[in-house]
């Protein structure tokens, strides 16, 4: 079932304003008493244009695009209790317990002055990286009565995607680092990682689903999408449905926890994951009246010696 509405790639992050929603009757299976071992949610996937034509979207006119979207009912595995089965290098994502010092998240300047520095040190600690440069962030607060049409009204994104392609990742290095540093930085391994954290309360409503990279076929499951800006062109990746993909989530991620999400890795010899398709989704296990999801994601260039 496909839809032909506009695309979500607006501003520095993704916008859910124009995502097509297709509803199925969801279900869940149970593990330990009171703990779901899996759930069934509706995820939106992309369909590339025919005949090998390059996919694109015009950022200033979201109706100007050339690919479509389809929804699938997917089993989503709960990794609570099995956190050690996924790591940044194997699955492409990893959950950590690390409370933040900055907890307000009400002012962008404070986020940049207070939360960025502590997050740089956290990413270094968790990955062993020698240099980390955060290039932007997005705060998302689900408000069903609001339209996601500006940076201060971002909603969770119900669209499977990968934030950066290889081309876009290299372009980010050139864009955000001093030109004199770039040749050496591109010689060594580097990554683009998102640091995702709930705000104020656990993310029970519209949680984050992540696809285990070990179940992704890079040749068929993703395709580049050009983001056409007035003065430049970016590139992200659409995700194609494949029944072999294993979609996962962690129930009730708290503000004291973070998820590192890999969007790119320059080490491409088959020894590590390359990226993590991800999306927000409506979990049928969400209790009625649960607080609406609020979260922040930082996007960082991560360099190694």
């Amino acid at each position: 079932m496909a839809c032909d509405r506009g695309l979500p790639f607006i501003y520095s992050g993704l916008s859910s304003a124009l995502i097509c929603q297709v509803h199925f009757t969801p279900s869940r299976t149970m593990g330990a008493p009171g703990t779901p071992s899996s759930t069934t949610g509706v995820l939106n996937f992309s369909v590339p244009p025919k005949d090998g034509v390059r996919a694109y979207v015009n950022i200033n006119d979201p109706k100007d695009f050339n690919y479509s979207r389809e929804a699938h009912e997917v089993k989503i595995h709960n990794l609570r209790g099995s956190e050690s089965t996924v790591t940044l290098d194997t699955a492409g994502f990893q959950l950590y317990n690390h409370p933040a010092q900055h907890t307000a998240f009400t002012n962008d300047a404070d986020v940049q002055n207070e939360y960025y520095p502590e997050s740089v040190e956290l990413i270094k600690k968790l990955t062993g990286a020698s240099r980390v440069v955060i290039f932007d962030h997005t705060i998302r607060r689900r408000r069903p009565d609001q339209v996601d049409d500006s940076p201060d009204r971002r909603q969770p994104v119900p669209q499977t995607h990968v934030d950066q392609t290889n081309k876009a990742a290299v372009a980010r290095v050139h864009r955000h680092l001093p030109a004199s540093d770039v040749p050496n930085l591109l010689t060594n391994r580097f990554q683009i990682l998102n640091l995702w954290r709930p705000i104020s309360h656990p993310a029970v409503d519209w949680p984050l689903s992540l696809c285990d990279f070990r179940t992704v076929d890079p040749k068929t499951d993703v395709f580049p999408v050009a983001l056409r800006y007035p003065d430049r062109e970016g590139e992200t990746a659409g995700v194609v449905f494949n029944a072999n993909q294993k979609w996962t989530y962690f129930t009730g991620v708290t503000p004291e926890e973070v998820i590192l999400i890999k969007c790119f890795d320059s080490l491409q010899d088959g020894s590590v994951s390359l990226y993590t398709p991800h999306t927000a989704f409506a979990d049928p296990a969400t209790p009625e009246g649960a607080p609406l999801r609020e979260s922040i994601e930082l996007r960082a260039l991560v360099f190694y010696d």
Side-chain angles (χ1 to χ4, degrees), residues 128-183:
S130 56
R131 185 173 181 177
V132 173
V133 176
I134 295 172
F135 57 87
D136 71 11
H137 72 276
T138 301
I139 294 175
R140 303 188 189 278
R141 292 183 169 91
R142 193 170 84 85
R143 301 291 185 263
D145 59 337
Q146 290 185 1
V147 176
D148 185 344
D149 59 359
S150 65
D152 61 346
R153 295 159 68 96
R154 293 294 172 226
Q155 308 283 335
V157 178
Q159 175 68 37
T160 59
H161 64 279
V162 179
D163 289 14
Q164 311 284 340
T165 63
N166 286 5
K167 178 182 176 181
V170 173
R172 284 288 183 185
V173 178
H174 285 277
R175 185 177 176 189
H176 300 294
L177 276 298
S180 58
D181 293 355
V182 169

Side-chain angles (χ1 to χ4, degrees), residues 92-252:
F93 59 93
Q94 194 163 346
L95 178 76
Y96 304 88
N97 188 293
H98 197 285
Q101 297 174 10
H102 178 86
T103 58
F105 301 110
T106 55
N107 180 281
D108 279 345
D110 289 343
V111 169
Q112 292 170 6
N113 293 332
E114 299 174 10
Y115 189 56
Y116 277 26
E118 67 169 291
S119 297
V120 165
E121 295 308 310
L122 176 59
I123 293 172
K124 287 182 178 179
K125 176 182 176 181
L126 297 178
T127 64
S130 56
R131 185 173 181 177
V132 173
V133 176
I134 295 172
F135 57 87
D136 71 11
H137 72 276
T138 301
I139 294 175
R140 303 188 189 278
R141 292 183 169 91
R142 193 170 84 85
R143 301 291 185 263
D145 59 337
Q146 290 185 1
V147 176
D148 185 344
D149 59 359
S150 65
D152 61 346
R153 295 159 68 96
R154 293 294 172 226
Q155 308 283 335
V157 178
Q159 175 68 37
T160 59
H161 64 279
V162 179
D163 289 14
Q164 311 284 340
T165 63
N166 286 5
K167 178 182 176 181
V170 173
R172 284 288 183 185
V173 178
H174 285 277
R175 185 177 176 189
H176 300 294
L177 276 298
S180 58
D181 293 355
V182 169
N184 183 59
L185 292 173
L186 293 180
T187 299
N188 298 321
R189 183 186 185 188
F190 80 97
Q191 301 166 325
I192 294 183
L193 303 179
N194 289 0
L195 183 73
W196 185 89
R197 181 191 297 273
I199 295 173
S200 303
H201 50 265
V204 176
D205 170 76
W206 278 85
L208 187 67
S209 181
L210 306 119
C211 187
D212 190 321
F213 179 77
R214 293 169 291 191
T215 67
V216 174
D217 186 341
K219 295 180 180 179
T220 61
D221 291 3
V222 297
F223 64 95
V225 179
L227 309 181
R228 294 182 177 175
Y229 294 85
D231 60 342
R232 63 186 176 89
E233 184 176 279
E235 194 171 73
T236 189
V239 178
V240 177
F241 173 74
N242 184 332
N244 293 324
Q245 295 166 353
K246 181 180 180 180
W247 287 88
T248 69
Y249 75 126
F250 300 96
T251 53

Side-chain angles (χ1 to χ4, degrees), residues 1-8 18-24 41-50 65 67-74 158-161 220-221 223 238-243 245 247 279-280:
M1 186 179 299
C3 67
D4 59 358
R5 298 182 65 186
L7 298 177
L18 299 171
I19 297 289
C20 174
Q21 299 275 353
V22 182
H23 297 284
F24 295 97
V42 176
L43 304 186
N44 294 305
F45 294 84
S46 297
V47 180
K50 296 180 179 180
F65 67 96
Y67 70 98
S68 58
R69 192 174 292 113
E70 62 184 13
H72 290 267
E73 191 172 23
V74 176
Q159 175 68 37
T160 59
H161 64 279
T220 61
D221 291 3
F223 64 95
V239 178
V240 177
F241 173 74
N242 184 332
Q245 295 166 353
W247 287 88
T279 180

